[in-house]
């Protein structure tokens, strides 16, 4: 929450329970699924209690070893 209240609008969270806690802490209410990054994993764009945000909520064993870098690079030019 502190990062988002300080102006961060793009987050990647790993771990199923952790990702759920991140979404809940931000008050995410409506998230639109973007282009796939890996099977079953996409950027999410939407609204939180703190304003618009882009999220990757990664659980378990999804994605390839460079997923975090590839995900960041995929969205970096279009940050909200």
């Amino acid at each position: 929450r502190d990062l988002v209240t300080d102006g961060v609008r793009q987050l990647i969270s790993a771990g199923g329970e952790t990702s759920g806690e991140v979404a809940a802490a931000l008050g995410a209410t409506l998230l639109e699924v973007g282009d796939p990054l890996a099977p079953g994993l996409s950027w999410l764009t939407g609204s939180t209690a703190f304003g618009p945000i882009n999220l990757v909520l990664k659980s378990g064993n999804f994605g390839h070893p460079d997923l975090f870098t590839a995900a960041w690079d995929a969205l970096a030019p279009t940050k909200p």
Side-chain angles (χ1 to χ4, degrees):
R1 261 188 305 220
D2 290 344
L3 289 171
V4 175
T5 58
D6 287 344
V8 172
R9 291 292 178 254
Q10 184 167 299
L11 297 172
I12 299 173
S13 175
E17 290 181 31
T18 301
S19 292
E21 290 294 323
V22 167
L26 295 177
T29 56
L30 179 63
L31 298 171
E32 181 179 322
V33 177
D35 293 334
L37 299 166
L41 188 63
S42 298
W43 270 105
L44 305 170
T45 303
S47 300
T48 71
F50 305 96
I53 198 159
N54 296 316
L55 297 169
V56 172
L57 302 173
K58 179 191 174 304
S59 64
N61 297 319
F62 283 92
H64 41 80
D66 68 341
L67 174 70
F68 297 114
T69 305
W72 197 260
D73 290 345
L75 193 62
T78 60
K79 292 177 189 173

